[in-house]
Amino acid sequence: MRAYLVLQDGSVYVGRSRGANCDCYCEVVFTTGMAGYVETLTDPSFFKQGVVLTYPIIGNYGVNLDDMESDRIWMGCLIVRELSDIASNFRSQMTINEFLLKYNIPAIEGVDTRAITKKIRDKGTMAGFLTTKEFDMDEVLKKLRDFRVTGAVAATSAAQVKHMPGAGKRVALYDFGTKKSIPEYLNNMGFDVTIYPYNTPAETVIASKPDGIMLSNGPGDPKDCPEAIAILKKLYQTDIPIFGICLGHQLFALATGADTVKLPFGHRGENHPVKDLETGVVYITSQNHGYVISSIDENVAAMSHMNINDSTLEGLHYKNKNIRTVQFHPEASPGPRETGYLFETFAKMMGGNE
């Protein structure tokens, strides 16, 4: 069945419909990973986005549900050059098309993903519309101009407190749309992890007397989360060690007087070079974000990591505080685990693993 991808600039890409046969309005972005498509599909940070996978053949090792980063697919639609119906892997439980159908997610294949990626790089991230039906261009373009992703953190955060028992230090994790690999990484290190919904009052977490607080990744514009920012302002006043990743990094910066801006096309993929300014070492990192910290209060924090490609801020060390945050994903999944040392740093901030 023929499918159409309409972008906000009026360009139309014609391909074949895969997955669910339903319409989708989304924010079209691209990610450069060569593998890890199951983790990408289920990463809450892709909430309501139409994701272009730049690697040309997707699905050749099938789908293993153990690789999911959450309990469902969060992206709006999938955009690929070729979707493989052959799953050559002993771990595979279904094909990627069956996976898309399971969660009612539409996809389009057979389009020039290189051309779409180049357009996004030239013109910036834009809204898109995927359909298999005839459509009125003027009506679609009007809806695309008005399209905006909202309510992302509330939609993807845990609804209830969850406990992951461990024998080590007690970590409270604020869930802004976390990938499951973050609490699992902590739990595998021996930490006792309690996951809290994004809007849990600071007083509740402080009263639980955690040894440390983790701020998770998540989707959307950080400035759309005033409730979370107000909570983090209170946590800043404590002496509890804090480690933030991605959206957690941005939210904490906003809570301490910094500012954020939207990048032209974001950083998404598993091959982004980042320099640790404290050691001079350059690491290859996994990233998935469309916003970045644009300014900081230098009396409050100092840059600890910098993006080699565009010199954007990738990490902060808060002065006179046991607080560190990074823009990239040290837990990877998918991606390189070179920056996993930051979890060890967090452990030391809390006094060790015991």
Side-chain angles (χ1 to χ4, degrees):
M1 182 184 300
R2 184 172 293 183
Y4 307 91
L5 175 66
V6 184
L7 297 184
Q8 191 174 342
D9 67 349
S11 56
V12 180
Y13 297 85
V14 183
R16 295 179 295 278
S17 173
R18 301 301 301 271
N21 182 14
C22 57
D23 293 348
C24 173
Y25 282 92
C26 56
E27 180 184 49
V28 180
V29 301
F30 68 87
T31 185
T32 57
M34 295 175 66
Y37 51 80
V38 176
E39 294 91 332
T40 297
L41 282 159
T42 55
D43 184 347
S45 293
F46 282 116
F47 178 74
K48 286 191 177 179
Q49 291 182 327
V51 182
V52 179
L53 299 183
T54 59
Y55 192 69
I57 302 175
I58 300 298
N60 56 315
Y61 58 84
V63 171
N64 185 289
L65 301 180
D66 291 339
D67 295 337
M68 294 176 66
E69 283 293 336
S70 63
D71 60 1
R72 54 165 287 187
I73 297 176
W74 289 101
M75 65 174 61
C77 66
L78 183 64
I79 303 163
V80 298
R81 178 63 180 175
E82 180 181 341
L83 203 68
S84 177
D85 288 318
I86 300 173
S88 300
N89 191 293
F90 73 97
R91 297 175 68 243
S92 178
Q93 295 169 278
M94 63 183 73
T95 67
I96 189 169
N97 194 62
E98 290 169 337
F99 190 49
L100 293 168
L101 288 168
K102 178 180 174 67
Y103 293 100
N104 198 39
I105 303 297
I108 183 172
E109 73 165 337
V111 292
D112 189 341
T113 50
R114 179 176 294 182
I116 298 171
T117 300
K118 288 177 68 176
K119 182 180 289 287
I120 294 171
R121 284 182 60 90
D122 291 341
K123 297 188 176 183
T125 298
M126 62 185 77
F129 174 60
L130 179 62
T131 185
T132 60
K133 308 178 186 69
E134 297 297 324
F135 57 90
D136 183 290
M137 179 63 87
D138 291 337
E139 180 182 345
V140 167
L141 291 179
K142 181 180 184 304
K143 289 182 178 179
L144 291 177
R145 285 192 296 270
D146 296 336
F147 179 82
R148 187 167 181 267
V149 176
T150 58
V153 169
T156 56
S157 176
Q160 297 177 332
V161 176
K162 179 182 178 182
H163 183 222
M164 300 172 67
K169 299 289 186 180
R170 298 170 63 243
V171 176
L173 188 151
Y174 263 96
D175 180 3
F176 301 122
T178 189
K179 296 163 59 183
K180 73 174 185 179
S181 54
I182 294 177
E184 285 182 352
Y185 200 113
L186 293 167
N187 202 226
N188 289 338
M189 290 177 69
F191 295 122
D192 184 278
V193 181
T194 302
I195 303 171
Y196 291 92
Y198 79 100
N199 57 355
T200 302
E203 294 80 4
T204 299
V205 172
I206 294 169
S208 72
K209 297 183 179 181
D211 296 297
I213 296 174
M214 170 68 73
L215 311 176
S216 85
N217 67 294
D221 185 343
K223 291 180 179 177
D224 284 344
C225 305
E227 191 173 8
I229 293 169
I231 290 168
L232 298 184
K233 285 182 179 179
K234 295 179 180 178
L235 294 179
Y236 178 71
Q237 301 303 319
T238 72
D239 293 323
I240 303 171
I242 297 173
F243 181 32
I245 293 174
C246 201
L247 182 61
H249 159 78
Q250 297 166 1
L251 291 172
F252 204 85
L254 289 172
T256 55
D259 197 11
T260 57
V261 295
K262 188 171 185 178
L263 291 166
F265 49 83
H267 300 153
R268 298 177 178 89
E270 302 148 28
N271 54 356
H272 293 264
V274 168
K275 185 176 184 178
D276 184 328
L277 300 180
E278 296 173 5
T279 64
V281 177
V282 175
Y283 297 94
I284 301 303
T285 67
S286 177
Q287 302 203 12
N288 181 10
H289 60 99
Y291 293 81
V292 68
I293 296 169
S294 57
S295 66
I296 60 173
D297 183 339
E298 295 184 355
N299 295 315
V300 173
M303 184 189 295
S304 61
H305 295 77
M306 181 185 73
N307 189 294
I308 294 296
N309 289 335
D310 60 12
S311 299
T312 52
L313 191 154
E314 290 275 2
L316 286 173
H317 181 198
Y318 285 79
K319 298 179 178 179
N320 303 314
K321 290 283 186 178
N322 237 350
I323 302 172
R324 288 180 175 269
T325 65
V326 292
Q327 183 64 76
F328 50 91
H329 285 264
E331 84 290 350
S333 190
R337 296 182 176 270
E338 297 181 11
T339 54
Y341 72 91
L342 290 167
F343 285 97
E344 296 294 341
T345 300
F346 183 43
K348 292 176 182 177
M349 289 162 58
M350 294 186 289
N353 284 30
E354 302 301 325

